[in-house]
Amino acid sequence: MGFPEANHDYMGAVTLKNVSKIYNNIPVVDDLSFEIKSGEMFGLLGPNGAGKSTTIRMTIALTRATDGEIIVAGYNVRQRPDLVRRSIGVVLQQTSVDADLTVWENLEFHGRMHHIPVRDRQQRIDRGLEYVELGDRRKDLVKTLSGGMKRRLQIARALLHDPQILFLDEPTVGLDPQNRRRLWEIIRDLNRQGMTVLLTSHYMEEVEFLCDRIGIMDGGKLIELGTLAELKNKYGEGLAIEQQGDRLESKFFPTLETANTYLESLPNKIGITIRESNLEDIFVKLTGRDLDE
Ligand code: ADP
């Protein structure tokens, strides 16, 4: 993209350096640093209150970081929020589509806001609605759409001005499994076409299914970062789960085989299950709690 003043020293699509946000003297994001590569699908995973939304809101220039530096698409968010906004598409839970407008009007309005010329605009709206399979609902009021359709419309809107990077804050929260799957396919397809994606989620399967790399946040800090394979390699691919009173105790092993060898070695094998570890096991080990609040 040829906007002026982009700092192309930054190879990553998104860079956060020592970023903090303080609300009421409490750091809700605390000295956060990470980089998202161009074309990457990056997932921020964490329980409610971990600081994921605040991180996204600072990165998309909706709220100012108290400290640190954020670069998006080559632009410093503090200095050029306008150019950052032009380079990104955003799907937030709060800024939902306007229920009293039609599907088409919602996109038309967004297209005008972004000064997309009229002919181009119509083509893009058509293409976008086709892409998210809402072409036959274009004249319908948004309030008549299902939750899944509204979310797809939000995605079409976020893509209308041809962004380089897409930000999705809890994109499938509240959707049934079928609609969630459908959205995953769309997000995955966009990424395969080259779109860089930052998404937040507290759904383990979502992050496992979609993301190239996973950052785990807790208490405003990034407590782990890596691919799923790297994380499994680090914490162990095999797991022994043992009933201890009314609790389940998990013990990691480097491989499934070593976990099985451990089981074999026990005189009493009752109540012990062996299986492959997953992201949720790693999350629970790291934070001491699971995500189903
Ligand atoms: P997450 O998205 O991981 O659930 P958030 O970023 O929404 O986490 O919130 C992190 C913490 O910051 C929470 O404790 C929340 O109450 C607090 N917080 C978020 N926004 C504000 C705000 N505008 N004013 C004060 N506190 C806030």
Side-chain angles (χ1 to χ4, degrees), residues 23-24 28 47-54:
Y23 283 122
N24 310 321
V28 299
N48 278 338
K52 306 181 298 295
S53 294
T54 306

Side-chain angles (χ1 to χ4, degrees), residues 56-283:
I56 282 218
R57 290 168 59 80
M58 290 189 291
T59 309
I60 63 178
L62 265 187
T63 187
R64 263 174 173 263
T66 312
D67 219 338
E69 187 176 63
I70 306 177
I71 308 292
V72 175
Y75 303 110
N76 187 310
V77 173
R78 203 180 287 273
Q79 286 155 7
R80 296 312 308 258
D82 52 335
L83 295 179
V84 166
R85 285 193 197 102
R86 269 206 248 168
S87 312
I88 63 174
V90 173
V91 176
L92 300 179
Q93 290 168 66
Q94 309 88 325
T95 54
S96 118
V97 275
D98 192 328
D100 291 319
L101 296 181
T102 66
V103 165
W104 185 85
E105 284 165 345
N106 259 287
L107 297 182
E108 171 68 9
F109 184 67
H110 183 86
R112 285 182 189 216
M113 292 253 295
H114 277 272
H115 308 292
I116 303 171
V118 59
R119 277 198 49 201
D120 205 15
R121 198 160 71 222
Q122 300 322 312
Q123 278 176 7
R124 287 196 202 184
I125 292 175
D126 285 339
R127 230 179 19 229
L129 286 178
E130 215 53 50
Y131 184 64
V132 299
E133 298 171 46
L134 285 175
D136 56 343
R137 304 299 299 261
R138 56 196 299 129
K139 293 192 179 120
D140 295 343
L141 290 178
V142 167
K143 61 182 163 204
T144 66
L145 303 183
S146 70
M149 288 174 178
K150 278 185 197 146
R151 211 57 63 85
R152 298 207 308 272
L153 176 57
Q154 275 183 289
I155 289 187
R157 187 179 62 178
L159 295 173
L160 201 65
H161 57 285
D162 211 9
Q164 300 170 52
I165 308 166
L166 194 58
F167 291 85
L168 306 167
D169 193 11
E170 306 260 1
T172 65
V173 79
L175 299 185
D176 61 45
Q178 212 175 348
N179 274 306
R180 179 170 299 158
R181 281 258 151 205
R182 207 153 162 210
L183 231 87
W184 287 358
E185 297 300 341
I186 290 174
I187 296 167
R188 184 131 101 169
D189 184 60
L190 283 168
N191 180 247
R192 289 203 171 131
Q193 291 177 45
M195 180 74 77
T196 306
V197 181
L198 169 60
L199 69 86
T200 72
S201 183
H202 64 260
Y203 295 122
M204 298 290 178
E205 332 84 80
E206 181 155 296
V207 175
E208 276 187 329
F209 182 80
L210 287 174
C211 298
D212 300 317
R213 278 195 308 151
I214 302 159
I216 300 180
M217 275 188 86
D218 196 20
K221 285 186 181 294
L222 200 63
I223 57 172
E224 192 49 276
L225 177 66
T227 64
L228 182 60
E230 284 167 355
L231 297 181
K232 281 192 178 185
N233 193 26
K234 179 169 172 183
Y235 292 95
E237 286 168 14
L239 197 75
I241 305 166
E242 194 170 350
Q243 187 87 37
Q244 299 266 4
D246 60 352
R247 299 192 56 230
L248 291 175
E249 283 287 324
S250 295
K251 198 169 152 76
F252 280 85
F253 292 87
T255 60
L256 201 55
E257 208 179 358
T258 45
N260 274 315
T261 310
Y262 163 76
L263 182 65
E264 292 306 316
S265 73
L266 293 177
N268 182 5
K269 302 175 179 56
I270 296 165
I272 301 178
T273 314
I274 303 290
R275 62 162 170 78
E276 269 188 39
S277 69
N278 58 37
L279 186 56
E280 182 153 7
D281 302 321
I282 294 168
F283 184 88

